Amino acid sequence: MFRDPPGGRKAVAVWSIGVAVYFVAVIFRTSLGVAGLEAADRFHVNASALSTFSLLQLLVYAGMQVPVGLMVDRLGTKKVLTLGAVLFTAGQIGFALSPTYGMALAARALLGCGDAMTFISVLRLGTRWFPARRGPLMAQLAGLVGMAGNLVSTLVLAPVLHGVGWTPAFAGSAVAGLLVLVPLVLFLRDHPEGHEPPPIARGGGAGAGFVRSQIRDSWREPGTRLGLWVHFTTQFPAMVFLLLWGMPFLVEDQGLARTTAAGLLTLVVASNMAFGLVYGQLIGRRQSARIPLALGTVAVTATLWGSVLAYPGARAPMWLLIALCVVLGTCGPASMIGFDFARPANPAERQGTASGITNMGGFLASMTTLLAVGVLLDATGDDYRIAFSSVFVLELLGTAQILRLRTRALTRERDRRRAGLTTPNLPESPTPAPA
């Protein structure tokens, strides 16, 4: 039987170390979002080549999700987080020193590999150190801290980059990766004493058999697949905007000053942080809110994007751009709902693998859209309205999959809970248990 962890101050301290690593990883991941125009000048590349930076980084990230989930299930959180911190720090240093486009691409790929190891590890820490009823809130808080890393990129790294130049700015930021390694190595623990995970059956010791069974059994659960599609459909509009194309769109297409555009990117991050707390509390109180929140976020996001792109004037009014940025802030919290479907669908020893499958969704969508926007910009002579219309195609695909899977996944989740076969996740009553 799964034993609910006790939580408490020690849990907060250990979890905070893991979240600090994720915080730094997000700073490094999103640093290109405030340096897109500088990168184009430095490496003398067009829009398609510029999008390849983020595309390759996300390709590595998405491709690593299932392997990382398997590693977390088999090796534990500390080893995976440590390896991730070393890799993304090396990638950031390499990006700072790269003299050519090819070397810079390799550095971003290395960064993406290390970054891929952070979030699933943090989710694992949350499930191992806190009571299960706190799962949705801890996941949202982890996402909130990640968005704070995005905020640092916008508010700190952007002016430093413009002030001291490319190499000092990126190399200096890499110091943060070295700093988080110290408490990670010295103090982080995988689980509380007395709450060790059950031993994993390895199919007669065959590593390949373990991998196949973990992936097969996780994928068979409708909740895992529903989680992937929720993450796929909700996360990518804000990710694409913040990671690369938001700044060029606001400056080149909407004619805003860099400082004003940076302020709007900051608004997306601030909105994300505020809505993260709201979504976490709503889901913690009422599990029936998961589907309406996810689909509602998709609908409102599509409406605002459509309003901006279809605005009859050459440029959308500021109030409409502000509304778009506020709504884009809901995408991150909504994507976290995907993990709240995968978590109760899988036993404790399969949580890493299930989280990895779920986490692939949004990054596959982001990767596809990043490439589509870059290609369409080059093909249409920098027509951002046509390029960003690719967002609606993926939202339509994801929504159809959510509607297809939701009944089966929710029925399966309810049956498993009644049979006592599921890892606890969300309360049956609309009121959460006390902390």
Side-chain angles (χ1 to χ4, degrees):
M1 295 294 292
F2 180 83
R3 295 179 57 200
D4 221 14
R9 292 182 179 178
K10 187 174 182 180
V12 172
V14 172
W15 181 80
S16 298
I17 295 172
V19 169
V21 178
Y22 175 56
F23 173 77
V24 174
V26 173
I27 294 176
F28 294 176
R29 178 200 305 170
T30 58
S31 58
L32 185 60
V34 297
L37 299 177
E38 288 80 2
D41 292 337
R42 178 179 175 87
F43 301 111
H44 309 290
V45 294
N46 60 15
S48 296
L50 181 60
S51 68
T52 304
F53 276 122
S54 297
L55 176 65
L56 177 62
Q57 182 180 335
L58 290 183
L59 177 63
V60 172
Y61 188 105
M64 286 289 294
Q65 289 309 293
V66 173
V68 167
L70 292 164
M71 289 170 63
V72 170
D73 284 337
R74 194 162 195 177
L75 302 178
T77 303
K78 183 173 183 174
K79 292 179 181 178
V80 177
L81 262 183
T82 302
L83 178 58
V86 170
L87 291 178
F88 68 61
T89 301
Q92 187 77 341
I93 294 173
F95 193 59
L97 302 177
S98 296
T100 65
Y101 177 68
M103 291 181 65
L105 277 178
R108 294 305 286 186
L110 186 63
L111 192 157
C113 185
D115 182 18
M117 299 182 181
T118 58
F119 187 63
I120 293 176
S121 298
V122 171
L123 289 178
R124 176 77 164 200
L125 281 178
T127 59
R128 288 299 186 193
W129 281 90
F130 291 93
R133 66 179 180 272
R134 294 298 177 203
L137 181 59
M138 300 313 297
Q140 291 288 353
L141 287 176
L144 186 151
V145 172
M147 291 308 297
N150 203 324
L151 196 63
V152 170
S153 293
T154 305
L155 296 181
V156 179
L157 186 59
V160 171
L161 177 65
H162 299 318
V164 303
W166 182 279
T167 299
F170 280 97
S173 67
V175 174
L178 301 176
L179 292 177
V180 295
L181 268 172
V182 177
L184 170 59
V185 172
L186 294 179
F187 302 114
L188 189 131
R189 299 292 180 268
D190 287 348
H191 46 74
E193 186 176 353
H195 288 264
E196 293 80 5
I200 297 175
R202 287 181 166 81
F210 164 75
V211 169
R212 285 195 299 269
S213 65
Q214 288 286 95
I215 296 174
R216 181 189 64 242
D217 294 343
S218 295
W219 184 252
R220 280 179 175 173
E221 292 293 342
T224 304
R225 301 197 300 277
L226 178 60
L228 180 146
W229 283 108
V230 167
H231 200 269
F232 177 100
T233 313
T234 54
Q235 187 202 47
F236 78 95
M239 177 70 71
V240 169
F241 196 79
L242 289 171
L243 198 60
L244 183 61
W245 291 121
M247 181 69 77
F249 169 71
L250 295 172
V251 174
E252 296 180 346
D253 186 71
Q254 297 298 307
L256 300 182
R258 283 176 177 270
T259 54
T260 305
L264 288 176
L265 294 180
T266 303
L267 178 60
V268 177
V269 177
S271 174
N272 185 298
M273 296 172 71
F275 278 106
L277 294 174
V278 174
Y279 277 43
Q281 291 292 340
L282 285 174
I283 297 169
R285 285 175 166 82
R286 189 178 295 274
Q287 60 179 329
S288 59
R290 290 175 293 175
I291 290 291
L293 277 176
L295 293 179
T297 298
V298 174
V300 175
T301 303
T303 299
L304 265 294
W305 255 127
S307 300
V308 169
L309 299 179
Y311 194 78
R315 296 169 181 170
M318 180 57 69
W319 66 264
L320 186 55
L321 293 176
I322 291 174
L324 171 66
C325 291
V326 171
V327 168
L328 286 176
T330 65
C331 293
S335 71
M336 303 301 295
I337 297 172
F339 299 103
D340 294 318
F341 288 113
R343 187 182 302 115
N346 293 273
E349 63 271 16
R350 214 164 59 216
Q351 289 294 312
T353 305
S355 295
I357 293 173
T358 300
N359 207 30
M360 285 176 58
F363 290 94
L364 287 172
S366 297
M367 178 179 62
T368 302
T369 309
L370 281 168
L371 178 61
V373 170
V375 170
L376 289 171
L377 284 175
D378 286 338
T380 60
D382 292 337
D383 190 326
Y384 279 89
R385 295 192 178 195
I386 295 177
F388 273 114
S389 295
S390 57
V391 169
F392 305 119
V393 177
L394 272 72
E395 286 189 323
L396 183 61
L397 171 63
T399 299
Q401 293 297 323
I402 292 172
L403 294 175
R404 182 179 70 87
L405 288 166
R406 61 174 179 170
T407 300
R408 195 187 331 169
L410 294 176
T411 301
R412 172 75 168 161
E413 179 182 310
R414 184 170 56 250
D415 292 344
R416 286 176 61 87
R417 182 181 292 112
R418 288 172 177 172
L421 298 176
T422 183
T423 300
N425 181 31
L426 298 169
E428 289 285 0
S429 71
T431 305

